[in-house]
Every structure is written in structure tokens, then in C-alpha cells.
Amino acid sequence: MGKVTVGAAVIGGAAVCAAAAYIVRFRMRNSNPYVKCGDIVKELEEKCRTPVSKLRHIADAMTVEMHAGLASEGGSKLKMLITYVDNLPTRDEQGVYYALDLGGTNFRVLRVQLAGKSGIEYKEFAEVSIPPELMVGAPEALFDYIAAELAKFIASESEKFRLLPGRQRELGFTFSFPVLQLSIDSGTLIRWTKGFSIGEMVGKDVVAELRKAMDRQGVDMRVSALVNDTVGTLAGGRYDNKDVAVAVILGTGSNAAYVERAQAIPKWHGPHPKSGEMVINMEWGNFKSSHLPLTEYDNTMDAESLNPGEQIYEKLISGMYLGELLRRVLYRMANEAALFGDMVPPKLKTQFILRTPEMCAMHHDTSPDLKVVGEKLKDILEIPDTPLSTRKIVVEVCNIIATRGARLAAAGILGILKKIGRDGFRDGAIPETVIAMDGGLYEHYTKYRNCLEKTLEELVGDKVANHVKLILSNDGSGIGAALLAACHSQYI
């Protein structure tokens, strides 16, 4: 009997304590939610700080990792892949060239008419959906379908596209899946992503499979170059401007490629190319450094991702993740400070429900009542009638996350410039350097883009900044691939 009484007293006491704790927490959340939110914002701002000194440390770390990745395979978090692209467009190219861009559930075929110094005279493209059953079927079925659509596209070639006499049509193949490249026109599939699962293809040469399919479909065309979209962006940029030495993609994901001296690649064991240069695909999204300003939101997002511990840099700077980081901060504010009322909005618990385009729209809202912010919160998260003070907090968090991402991207670019000796004087002069930029994040998120450009100027200094230029170079996966087919033509 005594034991029952004691047990009941303990349980009763625990219930009272729990209730008291709930009441205290409720009062803390409801006394003044904006004070607690202000504390969370202040903490976020402090942990996301990117002073110039820190950015310089990050740039130096990027340069060190670049050296290590060029020295040996697996020597760095940066893969520093040899692309076998040792010639870039010069505007001497003439004739008709094709591109095939396979990177998802759709693929594109494209053709350009190159007119030497006059540039691209004509271009046409078609986009084709891939039936779902071909994404998991036999390799022959997928590539036969692609080759058949390519044959239709070639058949529609009008007279304004003029193939030079005695020449075979040539194609640049953008294959946006992990590949071990073996030469400019060959590479074996490492693994499928993006919903594809054709086990027989893994370890096979993707260009060889495409060639066999083109033969079966009666397509007389040579695959001159196997490329990825970042290298294509570099080629497209160089075609428009001879001073392009680096390409950076800032979109859903992020990557960089640049022109390296062949003699600065210790792991390259083949004969040095006549140009003395080689394009390196950095795969810079996997960069990692103790200097990166990580927060609890970054760490939990990474731990819950499909690739924990990988692509840390990409998770800080790219469009796939910025909106999700915003959601995680807002969720904490809703949970700990009742930012949106007593209940946490159910939709706010859904990962990746807030996309970066919506974050961009809210960040760019200049209306007096932040109307766009209110509409996005209502339409996406089903939070109606938010007061102006709440909307201002949302914009402030957008600014902190986007600013950190943009400044870290600028530090990465500085790391590349340092590696290739374009961050200051060289041979008594400051070289002209143009960086070709692509990706929806850079193109459409104006505040992000402006912050990146301003930060890069801050890092290199006024004198060098006058000689470093960022230009938008669209469609590296299409036009860039066609241009690489031209400058690696069998007829050169």
C-alpha cells in the first residue's frame, strides 16, 4: 500500500512539473516572441559572418585543395578531373555542328551554323521527353530512342545550315551523369542519378553506346566531344571573349572549371597537348574546410541529406539548399518563439517546401507592406495574415543566408584566381580575366549576384578588380557542347 502511494505521489509530482514547465515555456514564447526571434536572428548573423579575413582563409584553402587534387587521384576533396579538352573555340570555326544534351527526363538536340569571325549564324533545337520505361530498361532501348530522335532532327535540317563539302556531321555530347572520362570522346558511366537505373550501362563507355545506336538508326555522325555543362559554359564563354579563363555554374547545384597549364598537372601522365593547356573540371561543390562558417541548420540539413558529409560547399552556396536553410530557421522561430502564432504551421515541417525562387522573390520584395512575402507565406506555408514585423524578420533571414552564400562563392573564385596567378600582377602587368557565369541562381537572384560581385571586388582590391569581369554565358550544355565538337573536329 505504501509503495502504491509513493508511486502515485512520484507520478503526480512529475505531471505537475511537466505542466509547470509547459506553462513557463508557453509564457516565454508568448511574452514577446519578437525578442526571442531577434535573439535567433542575431545568433544566425553571428555564425554566418564572413569577414574578409575568413574569406581569404577559405580562398587559400581552396587553392591548397586544388594543388592536392591535381597531384594525385583521391588526394583532395576536389576531384580536379582532367577533361581532355585542350582546345577552346577561337571563332575560326565554320560549318554545321550538333549537340546532344542528356541530363534528366528530357534531352535536347541542337545545331548551330558557325560562320568564323561572324559567330553563330543560325541555331535550332528540339526538346524530347524520355518515356519512363526507357529510364529503367535496356541500354539499347534508351540509346536507340535517342538516336532515332536525333535522326528526325537531322532530317529537318534546312538549307541555311551548310555542311562543308566532303565532311561528316559532328556532335558534342553533354552527359550530365557521373562519368570517368578516358579521352575527349570517351568515358565510362560510374552511376546513374535523376531517376535512371539501367544497371547494364554502369562501367560501359557512354559514347560507344551512342555510336552503336546511331549506326543502327542509320545516323552518319561522329561524336567529337564528351563534355559536362560547366566545361561547356567555359567553351561558350571563350567563344564570345578570348579572355575567359574560368567558368562557374551557380544554379540548383554548383561547379567550376578553368584552364590549367598542362605542366601544372602532376597526375597527368600522357603527352602534353600542343596548346600546353588543359581544362580542369573541379567538382568544387565537394570542397570542405574548417574555415567554412557552418551553423546548426547546415549540420542538421547535411545529416538528413542523401549524401551526408559530401558536397558541403554546394550546400552553403547553391540554389538547391538556400530555401531549405530559410525554412529550417523559420521553423525554429515558430517552434521556440511563436513567430507565426501558438501553433507551428504544419507545412513548415515539410523539408524543401520553400524553394530558392520563392526565397528570392521574398528577398527582392520592395513593397511598403512586403506584400510578396505575405503572399508566399500564405500560398506555400498556409500562414495567413502575417503582420509586417513578421515579414521583416523573414526578409532579414533571407538576406543573412543569401549574403553568406554569395560571399563564400566569391571566396571560391578568388581561390581559382590565386591558383592560376590572376589575382594580381603577372609578368609586370595585371592580366585581363573574364569569368563565364551560368545558372539560374546567378542569373535571377539579383541580390545574390550583386553581393558576389561586390565581394570579389573587395577581395581582389580596386586595381585587380578593374581587370576581372564576370559575364553571363548561357547554355553551356547546348551551344557550348556544339562549339567543343567544332574545335575538336576530326578535320582540324
Side-chain angles (χ1 to χ4, degrees), residues 117-130:
K117 300 300 182 189
S118 299
I120 298 173
E121 192 173 3
Y122 305 110
K123 60 182 176 182
E124 291 178 345
F125 76 93
E127 189 161 338
V128 184
S129 295
I130 299 174

Side-chain angles (χ1 to χ4, degrees), residues 227-339:
V227 301
N228 82 343
D229 54 358
T230 316
V231 177
T233 298
L234 182 61
R238 176 66 70 91
Y239 188 73
D240 293 328
N241 190 312
K242 64 180 178 57
D243 292 323
V244 167
V246 181
V248 174
I249 290 185
L250 285 164
T252 303
S254 184
N255 193 16
Y258 73 101
V259 181
E260 182 61 274
R261 293 175 298 114
Q263 64 187 36
I265 311 172
K267 68 181 180 182
W268 169 255
H269 301 301
H272 281 181
K274 291 180 181 178
S275 67
E277 296 179 333
M278 180 68 70
V279 173
I280 298 295
N281 168 19
M282 290 178 61
E283 293 294 337
W284 84 347
N286 207 38
F287 171 67
K288 191 174 182 180
S289 166
S290 60
H291 298 292
L292 292 173
L294 297 172
T295 68
E296 63 185 89
Y297 313 103
D298 301 299
N299 292 330
T300 55
M301 182 178 72
D302 174 55
E304 295 167 11
S305 71
L306 296 174
N307 54 346
E310 301 295 320
Q311 301 297 109
I312 298 300
Y313 188 54
E314 183 174 75
K315 289 170 182 173
L316 292 170
I317 68 173
S318 78
M320 177 75 183
Y321 302 100
L322 298 182
E324 171 62 7
L325 289 170
L326 170 65
R327 182 198 69 83
R328 287 172 179 267
V329 178
L330 296 182
Y331 176 80
R332 183 184 169 195
M333 289 180 170
N335 190 43
E336 296 183 14
L339 178 63

Side-chain angles (χ1 to χ4, degrees), residues 409-438:
I413 293 172
L414 175 62
I416 300 173
L417 296 179
K418 290 169 75 72
K419 172 66 184 72
I420 58 178
R422 290 173 175 265
D423 62 325
F425 284 86
R426 189 173 68 177
D427 299 327
I430 301 174
E432 298 296 325
T433 303
V434 178
I435 301 158
M437 306 293 296
D438 196 7

Side-chain angles (χ1 to χ4, degrees), residues 182-211:
L182 305 172
S183 68
I184 185 62
D185 59 358
S186 66
T188 57
L189 176 67
I190 297 172
R191 66 180 181 277
W192 289 107
T193 56
K194 306 171 189 177
F196 284 79
S197 181
I198 305 173
E200 291 177 56
M201 265 301 299
V202 176
K204 288 188 177 181
D205 184 346
V206 296
V207 174
E209 291 300 313
L210 177 60
R211 283 179 181 142

Side-chain angles (χ1 to χ4, degrees), residues 248-251 413 435-450 452-453 469-473:
V248 174
I249 290 185
L250 285 164
I413 293 172
I435 301 158
M437 306 293 296
D438 196 7
L441 181 65
Y442 179 81
E443 183 175 3
H444 301 299
Y445 202 147
T446 307
K447 287 183 181 289
Y448 183 103
R449 181 177 68 246
N450 290 346
L452 188 159
E453 292 172 354
K469 184 180 179 184
L470 278 68
I471 61 167
L472 186 63
S473 180

Side-chain angles (χ1 to χ4, degrees), residues 125-157:
F125 76 93
E127 189 161 338
V128 184
S129 295
I130 299 174
E133 63 271 18
L134 296 184
M135 297 169 64
V136 295
E140 294 80 11
L142 173 64
F143 282 98
D144 278 353
Y145 179 76
I146 292 170
E149 292 295 330
L150 180 57
K152 291 179 191 175
F153 188 66
I154 295 169
S156 70
E157 183 180 289

Side-chain angles (χ1 to χ4, degrees), residues 24-164:
V24 169
R25 189 166 65 250
F26 180 84
R27 285 174 178 171
M28 285 179 67
R29 291 173 77 242
N30 287 274
S31 57
N32 191 340
Y34 294 110
V35 172
K36 176 62 176 173
C37 285
D39 292 341
I40 293 173
V41 169
K42 188 176 180 181
E43 177 192 10
L44 177 69
E45 193 169 27
E46 181 61 31
K47 290 186 176 179
C48 287
R49 282 184 68 247
T50 49
V52 168
S53 58
K54 179 180 281 288
L55 295 179
R56 292 195 189 283
H57 285 309
I58 291 167
D60 289 342
M62 180 73 79
T63 305
V64 168
E65 290 295 317
M66 291 172 72
H67 279 285
L70 291 173
S72 63
E73 295 295 347
S76 166
K77 277 284 188 181
L78 300 179
K79 287 188 171 65
M80 302 300 286
L81 300 174
I82 295 169
T83 66
Y84 297 89
V85 173
D86 55 8
N87 286 303
L88 287 168
T90 61
R91 280 206 174 230
D92 292 327
E93 298 81 12
Q94 296 190 30
V96 181
Y97 293 91
Y98 279 71
L100 167 62
D101 178 13
L102 176 61
T105 53
N106 297 334
F107 70 89
R108 286 189 307 151
V109 285
L110 175 144
R111 60 177 155 248
V112 295
Q113 177 72 46
L114 304 180
K117 300 300 182 189
S118 299
I120 298 173
E121 192 173 3
Y122 305 110
K123 60 182 176 182
E124 291 178 345
F125 76 93
E127 189 161 338
V128 184
S129 295
I130 299 174
E133 63 271 18
L134 296 184
M135 297 169 64
V136 295
E140 294 80 11
L142 173 64
F143 282 98
D144 278 353
Y145 179 76
I146 292 170
E149 292 295 330
L150 180 57
K152 291 179 191 175
F153 188 66
I154 295 169
S156 70
E157 183 180 289
S158 63
E159 292 182 0
K160 66 183 180 183
F161 290 92
R162 304 176 300 281
L163 185 67
L164 296 176

